[in-house]
Amino acid sequence: MQAKTRRRAIWAAACSVLAGLLLAAPGAFAGVITPEKGGSPNADDIHTLYVIVLIIAIPIFLLVEGVLIWSLIRYRRRKGGPQPAQIRGNTPLEISWTVGAALILVVLGVITFVYLDDIGNPPASLPGGFQGAQFATIDQPSPPRSGGPTLRVRVNGQQYLWRYEYPDLPGPNYSYYELVVPTKTTVVLEVTASDVIHSWWIPKLGGKVDATPGYVNKTWFRISKPGRYVGQCAELCGPNHADMRAVVRAVEPAEFEAWLRRHRIDILEAQQALAQQRQERARRGDVQ
Amino acid sequence: MEAATVAPSDAVRAVRKAASPPEVVMHGLRPAPRGWLSWLTTTDHKRIGIMYLVLTFTFFLIGGVEALIIRLQLAGPDNTLVTPEAYNALVTMHGSTMIFLFFVPVIAGFANYLVPLMIGARDMAFPRLNAFSFWTLFFAGITFYASLFFHPPAAGWTSYTPLSDDAFSPDGGIDAWILMIHLTTVSSLAGAVNFIATIHNMRAPGMTWGRLPLFVWSILIYSYLLVLALPSLSAAATMLLTDRHFGTAFFDPAGGGSPLLWQHLFWFFGHPEVYIMILPMFGIVSEVLPVFARKPIFGYKAIAASTVAIAFLSILVWAHHMFTTPTAEVVLAFFMLSSFVIAVPTGIKIFNWLATLWRGSIEFKTPLIFAAALPGLFVIGGISGVMLAIFPIDWQVHDTYFVVAHFHYVLFGGGAFALIAGLYYWYPKMTGRLMSERLGKLSFWLMFIGFNATFLVQHSAGLSGMPRRIYDYAASSGWGEYNLISTIGSFILGIGVLVTVFNAVWSLKRGQVAGNDPWHANTLEWFVPSPPPENNFDQIPRVRSLEPMQDLRAQVRSTQGQPAGTVAQPVAPTR
């Protein structure tokens, strides 16, 4: 009796520790047992969806492993043990686990559709966002729920570099490798590629989209606090696929405007210098 | 106990004394040809099966060595063991070898050996076509590995266009890959047609569809799936070939083609392919578990029906490999839901296996341990599979190590463990000798620990942002620990596999002599001597239930008055 009580106490303690870990774990272990989050609302929503699915999955996992291990131990062959039960099936039992499995999947489907809207559709920019952002709509994957101002960025993948351009802002304004964006502003990316397939992915800013030649794929993010967010190409694109990194640098909207102005001047100056050099060489008779 | 209710089998008319060794005596048969030439020219399904198994396990070892080199390269950050080009080639060779040269044909090896024996046939329906299938596979392997001497393919086992097009992969490696695809496809299609014809037409008298062993059910469905899925791959590979050499532009957007077309055609084959590989493994587990639990399989009809259901559904889920491509959300939603549906019949199988073990009298032989690992490991791959089917989650984990972990839990944890269960289970039938139990259990624990150490942490690597197919990562990424654990695990796993390989070679001469029926099994292959004579059966017994061997045993018991345990195997007629 004493032993039984003690064993029960140990079980209860173990279960409560396990339950505590389960509740605390998803937040504490982002990137260990759950996806990255913290940069953009869509990444956070995917994280939440994942945690819900994980919490539904854990009892199923424990049930299967538990019954398996318990059966293997409890029903191992022993001298003088019971005869194996000659059971060929049990229709009510079989129907109930079929229906049970189906019901769990229905629940998962419903939960996914509940979250889908927030993950797929770009929301409006936050107050204090970049003023130059346009009232743009995107028709793919689906129209935005609210036509708030968004900043459009064209992203082009090429071996082994990303190129960015802001089509709605005064140009020339292209850049490579590092994408500079204003905070509190919804940024809609139009992702394509000019050679092979690449995949745009910054884990903290949400899911990845393939950059496919001949297609434009769309995604979005909205960053609240300034900082650097890193990622890398997620589709095999050649020998240096591993070196195709991407960085998103989020800055305050005012700083973004200043950066954009300076960047535009830099590009124009560089273009002028190039044109001058060309003229010079043409004058000297150098072959182009 | 129930012996009195079983009518005397046709095949067991006269029964010898229990003291004399029971055997099927062959009459009027030429001695089996010997020498290496007889192997080259054989059309005997058993010899072809053994050649298949030896060849495919060789490819398994080659693919395993490639995997270990990959793991060594990734063991630490900023490693320079192999060049980026060589790394991509290794990834491509590993994937292609394991899928096309190991997993699909190794099933053909087992099926070749076992299907005629299990259904009570004397050979396959088309023995020469059978030999053709094997030799086509052999040359497919040679074609593929010959590329090592010029330039191996390096566009991944999926060979996505435009990377695999001539503009980005101008050397001949991709062409070797395409020819390998064509040859393995021809080999598998010929084999599939052969299995379908054999299973439909050559079953023993009394073996109705409701008495067909579950392994044979799975091979029948495997064959139908091959016939349905492979032509799509053949067509795509041919289109890639003409794109590369004859100026067409099926997959080139500049010429009006679409890189997505390749992905659709590839995965229309590629997803059924997953079930082509795993359904026969389910079949092996469904054979092994009841034998060692000493119970009939629980829910025979549900397992057979779920095999058919999975096969049908597997044709409708291909675009769940393409959730990150530019595709309308409604399409993604359809493929998410269709992928969900497939989890139901898969769950049914797992519950049926658990119920088969429940209240059994489980004998811990090596085949049982390996077979019982399948539900335990597959469920992890199944759960991560449902997560991947939810496309917003897939947007985060697609093409990361999370996916790598997922499909290795399915194909290695599920597939390879079941395969090795099959090897330990049927080895005594093929060679006449048992494999060492001690080495078998050692191999199991090494493989089980090594496998989980290798792949469990890969979930975390993927969740923290590590894409697949990268040859290198920075120390600042924080992936170093995961990868080091994974590499150490992979070598433990490798040693575990080598123990089984050693066991198989060692037991060939030194193993304990098995006799006809060492496991007291249920199906007809255990009725004939080990190894079986060339014509398999002198007389084909009439099948009266799902477990014909139990009927035969009961019958011997009733005619001889022996208690149940002492009848080693049924005795064939002496004429």
Side-chain angles (χ1 to χ4, degrees), chain A residues 189-232:
Chain A
L189 305 177
E190 299 176 354
V191 184
T192 187
S194 50
D195 42 31
V196 301
I197 300 175
H198 305 272
S199 189
W200 167 266
W201 185 35
I202 309 284
K204 283 187 165 44
L205 301 184
K208 60 183 72 63
V209 286
D210 285 359
T212 311
Y215 292 86
V216 176
N217 211 346
K218 301 203 181 182
T219 186
W220 65 274
F221 57 74
R222 189 183 66 195
I223 301 173
S224 301
K225 37 182 197 291
R228 269 167 61 86
Y229 299 89
V230 294
Q232 66 188 90

Side-chain angles (χ1 to χ4, degrees), chain B residues 90-409:
Chain B
L90 279 167
V91 169
T92 307
M93 301 293 272
H94 169 71
S96 304
T97 302
M98 288 304 194
I99 302 278
F100 297 109
L101 296 175
F102 170 61
F103 232 114
V104 176
V106 78
I107 296 162
F110 275 108
N112 245 308
Y113 200 100
L114 295 166
V115 164
L117 288 169
M118 286 177 116
I119 64 173
R122 293 201 167 95
D123 204 325
M124 295 282 286
F126 311 112
R128 274 185 249 183
L129 185 68
N130 203 11
F132 169 80
S133 290
F134 169 77
W135 290 107
T136 318
L137 173 74
F138 179 79
F139 288 112
I142 289 191
T143 306
F144 189 55
Y145 272 89
S147 70
L148 282 181
F149 296 105
F150 50 103
H151 202 297
W157 84 276
T158 51
S159 284
Y160 270 16
T161 55
L163 184 61
S164 57
D165 223 329
D166 54 342
F168 301 99
S169 301
D171 36 67
I174 299 289
D175 297 312
W177 184 87
I178 292 171
L179 294 178
M180 182 272 286
I181 294 294
H182 276 146
L183 287 170
T184 51
T185 303
V186 168
S187 161
S188 293
L189 281 177
V193 169
N194 213 341
F195 290 128
I196 292 171
T198 307
I199 296 169
H200 273 281
N201 296 311
M202 295 169 69
R203 303 192 306 277
M207 184 173 278
T208 57
W209 291 113
R211 294 174 188 164
L212 195 64
L214 283 166
F215 177 73
V216 181
W217 261 113
S218 71
I219 294 301
L220 183 67
I221 302 303
Y222 154 91
S223 306
Y224 275 113
L225 266 185
L226 282 171
V227 171
L228 287 170
L230 281 177
S232 171
L233 177 68
S234 295
T238 307
M239 288 153 82
L240 181 59
L241 194 70
T242 62
D243 264 17
R244 286 173 60 82
H245 296 292
F246 308 119
T248 57
F250 291 111
F251 309 121
D252 179 8
S258 160
L260 286 192
L261 176 63
W262 170 266
Q263 297 186 22
H264 280 290
L265 290 173
F266 187 88
W267 290 116
F268 186 80
F269 142 82
H271 202 82
E273 175 83 344
V274 173
Y275 292 95
I276 285 167
M277 293 186 279
I278 201 69
L279 286 177
M281 299 302 117
F282 290 169
I284 290 177
V285 171
S286 304
E287 291 299 330
V288 170
L289 290 186
V291 169
F292 293 93
R294 300 277 164 245
K295 269 184 69 188
I297 186 84
F298 188 94
Y300 168 86
K301 281 183 184 157
I303 293 182
S306 64
T307 306
V308 179
I310 290 173
F312 173 73
L313 292 169
S314 76
I315 303 171
L316 303 175
V317 299
W318 76 92
H320 71 208
H321 297 266
M322 300 168 59
F323 281 159
T324 60
T325 59
T327 304
E329 213 159 73
V330 62
V331 179
L332 305 186
F334 169 81
F335 282 100
M336 172 179 80
L337 295 176
S338 64
S339 309
F340 274 0
V341 176
I342 232 172
V344 175
T346 314
I348 290 174
K349 277 180 187 288
I350 288 182
F351 291 135
N352 276 315
W353 292 325
L354 296 182
T356 302
L357 291 173
W358 187 72
R359 290 185 63 194
S361 174
I362 300 165
E363 210 177 344
F364 276 86
K365 298 284 189 189
T366 312
L368 174 100
I369 303 174
F370 274 100
L374 184 142
L377 297 174
F378 189 88
V379 74
I380 298 175
I383 287 172
S384 59
V386 171
M387 288 174 163
L388 286 165
I390 299 173
F391 60 91
I393 295 179
D394 183 74
W395 288 340
Q396 271 289 11
V397 292
H398 179 74
D399 264 341
T400 68
Y401 265 83
F402 188 90
V403 173
V404 175
H406 158 72
F407 65 71
H408 280 93
Y409 264 93

Side-chain angles (χ1 to χ4, degrees), chain B residues 523-543:
Chain B
T523 39
L524 274 185
E525 76 270 30
W526 304 102
F527 178 69
V528 295
S530 310
E534 204 175 2
N535 70 341
N536 296 352
F537 298 90
D538 252 16
Q539 294 205 22
I540 294 165
R542 171 166 278 279
V543 174

Side-chain angles (χ1 to χ4, degrees), chain A residues 30-37 42-43 46 49-51 53-54 57-58 60-61 63-65 67-68 70-73 75-78 82-90 93-94 97-99 101-102 105-106 108-110 112-113 116 119-121 140-142 159 194-197 199 201-217 232-243 245, chain B residues 1 84-85 88 92 154-156 160-163 168 253 258-261 263 293-300 302 324-329 333 336-337 340-341 343-344 347-348 350-352 354-355 357-364 368 372 375-377 379-380 383 386-387 390-400 402 459-474 479 482 546-547 550:
Chain A
V32 179
I33 59 167
T34 61
E36 299 274 359
K37 61 161 184 163
N42 47 353
I46 292 176
L49 179 58
Y50 178 96
V51 169
V53 176
L54 190 66
I58 284 171
I60 300 169
F61 171 76
L63 177 79
V64 172
E65 302 292 356
V67 172
L68 177 66
W70 188 78
S71 301
L72 286 173
I73 294 171
Y75 297 113
R76 68 189 185 279
R77 168 166 299 179
R78 279 168 296 191
Q83 286 292 309
Q86 301 298 306
I87 316 163
R88 289 186 179 272
N90 183 329
L93 184 65
E94 289 177 58
W97 66 44
T98 307
V99 173
L105 292 164
V106 169
L108 288 180
V110 169
T112 305
F113 283 115
L116 188 58
I119 296 169
N121 295 330
Q140 196 191 3
S142 57
Q159 285 178 332
S194 50
D195 42 31
V196 301
I197 300 175
S199 189
W201 185 35
I202 309 284
K204 283 187 165 44
L205 301 184
K208 60 183 72 63
V209 286
D210 285 359
T212 311
Y215 292 86
V216 176
N217 211 346
Q232 66 188 90
C233 175
E235 179 66 62
L236 181 65
C237 59
N240 292 325
H241 164 56
D243 304 321
R245 308 276 161 83
Chain B
M1 294 157 273
E85 289 80 6
N88 285 357
T92 307
Y160 270 16
T161 55
L163 184 61
F168 301 99
S258 160
L260 286 192
L261 176 63
Q263 297 186 22
R294 300 277 164 245
K295 269 184 69 188
I297 186 84
F298 188 94
Y300 168 86
T324 60
T325 59
T327 304
E329 213 159 73
M336 172 179 80
L337 295 176
F340 274 0
V341 176
V344 175
I348 290 174
I350 288 182
F351 291 135
N352 276 315
L354 296 182
L357 291 173
W358 187 72
R359 290 185 63 194
S361 174
I362 300 165
E363 210 177 344
F364 276 86
L368 174 100
L377 297 174
V379 74
I380 298 175
I383 287 172
V386 171
M387 288 174 163
I390 299 173
F391 60 91
I393 295 179
D394 183 74
W395 288 340
Q396 271 289 11
V397 292
H398 179 74
D399 264 341
T400 68
F402 188 90
H459 290 107
S460 298
L463 288 168
S464 58
M466 183 173 175
R468 57 193 286 210
R469 294 166 168 168
I470 54 168
Y471 75 97
D472 191 20
Y473 52 89
W479 304 328
Y482 299 138
L546 183 57
E547 292 101 2
Q550 292 196 4

